[in-house]
Amino acid sequence: MMNIPCPFCGARNESEFAYGGPVKPDRPDPNAVPDEDWTAYLTRVPNPLGPVQERWHHVRGCGTWLTIWRDTRTHDIVEGPSDAG
Amino acid sequence: MAYDVEILRLSPFALFDLKGAAEALEDWAPELSGLPGDPNALARNGEVLHCHVGPQHWLLRAPLEEENRLDAALRPNTAPPEISLVRVSDTLTFFRLTGPDAGEVLSIGCPLDLLPGVFGDTAVSFTELFGLKALVLRCAGGFEIAVEQSYGDMIADYLARATV
Ligand SMILES: [Zn+2]
């Protein structure tokens, strides 16, 4: 079980949250990028071995949406890479 | 294992769901002055509770007899667009668990740390109870919980089974 930090409630049990999926890169303009990049945006889900940025919804709590970095190897909630947006 | 706890299903309360900035809500209805600012904190004024349950989100609970008076004071239908006041009295069913084992029983289905140093007299929070979203707060001698009204019978059954 993860203890997920909610900005309103503080650390709460994972079971109070709903997973909102990984944060995707910004949507490119399909007319301005090659088809390959557009297809990649549509179909590739970020799934790194290591830190991944994710959205979680405190659905059984205060209702806040939040963003964390989770290390897929350990489930630890970690600092994001320094060059991350 | 038998628990030393008394479980009581409470009769309905007057409930209002309040959203918006605290100042805007208090300006609109002086009735709402003193909304608690700390997250997951509640303010008691006699039998009236103001619960801070989310960002810019409060729940007002009062005895059911107060419902019409509150409706007139809060004027939900004419509120400005930046705030929202909705009468939700029908949506939640409350239970009261009192006795030495009230916390033990609650902790069967609730992941919150309910120890007094963490969850004190002025604490209130939506959390999880037997997999459902539930409101939890303290009362004299134990806790009060609320779940969506349609789950009332189910939670009554769960609590009864958990405490056999
Ligand atoms: Zn929260």
Side-chain angles (χ1 to χ4, degrees), chain B residues 8 32 36 55 69 87 90 95 109 112 129 147 163:
Chain B
L8 185 66
L32 299 175
R69 186 190 65 76
R87 180 166 60 179
D90 294 334
F95 293 84
L112 270 193
L129 184 69
V147 293
T163 52

Side-chain angles (χ1 to χ4, degrees), chain A residues 6 8-9 58 62 64:
Chain A
C6 170
F8 185 79
C9 304
H58 199 188
C62 67
T64 298

Side-chain angles (χ1 to χ4, degrees), chain A residues 8-9 12 15-16 60-61 64, chain B residues 39-40 53-55 125-128:
Chain A
F8 185 79
C9 304
R12 289 293 182 92
S15 60
E16 292 186 3
R60 286 176 213 90
T64 298
Chain B
N40 293 317
V53 293
S125 183
F126 274 108
T127 178
E128 182 196 4

